[in-house]
Amino acid sequence: MEETIDREALSALVEDVGAARAHTIVGSYLATLDERVYHLRAALAGCDTERAIIALRGLRSASALVGARELAAVVEEVEPALSRGRYAPARAALPEILQSAAATARALLAVLSEPATSGTRRPAPSR
């Protein structure tokens, strides 16, 4: 999990916005992760460079924000070729992107389920 998730980035997010807001941001990221990957796949399938780059950059920046180090790195590697209109590297990376997205979701869910550390309180579940 340590390679998949950068705990220092998560800690920085908590420090910047607070534990409750960070929890919400990670939850939103998880809720939209599949959709982000879907948009990337659809843009690649349709040879729509502009949409593919937008989807790629959105996935990369959102992943970096929540500390999804591995996924952000995989996506970042694909961008230069895609920016030149070369789809093959991006399409070849899709299985790795899908695997990394799944591993990221598992790792972040595990982090969210951890008890709060001393000094921080998790918000009560909403009903």
Side-chain angles (χ1 to χ4, degrees):
M1 178 168 51
E2 292 304 320
E3 295 171 2
T4 302
I5 300 299
D6 180 354
R7 290 206 178 241
E8 287 181 20
L10 277 175
S11 294
L13 180 61
V14 169
E15 199 170 295
D16 288 346
V17 300
R21 181 76 178 125
H23 191 276
T24 299
I25 290 169
V26 171
S28 294
Y29 171 82
L30 288 170
T32 61
L33 183 56
D34 287 341
E35 183 178 352
R36 289 177 187 276
V37 173
Y38 169 81
H39 285 292
L40 175 60
R41 291 174 73 179
L44 291 174
C47 296
D48 187 335
T49 304
E50 185 177 345
R51 277 184 45 223
I53 290 173
I54 289 168
L56 195 70
R57 289 179 179 165
L59 180 59
R60 184 192 71 225
S61 64
S63 296
L65 176 68
V66 300
R69 172 191 302 180
E70 179 182 292
L71 183 55
V74 171
V75 169
E76 187 173 17
E77 289 174 14
V78 172
E79 189 175 347
L82 191 56
S83 294
R84 291 188 300 275
R86 295 180 50 226
Y87 292 93
R91 289 181 182 138
L94 276 175
E96 186 177 3
I97 290 170
L98 292 170
Q99 281 185 321
S100 183
T104 295
R106 286 190 303 272
L108 285 173
L109 286 170
V111 168
L112 289 179
S113 68
E114 291 175 354
T117 56
S118 62
T120 59
R121 292 182 174 212
R122 293 201 177 269
S126 56
R127 294 181 184 202

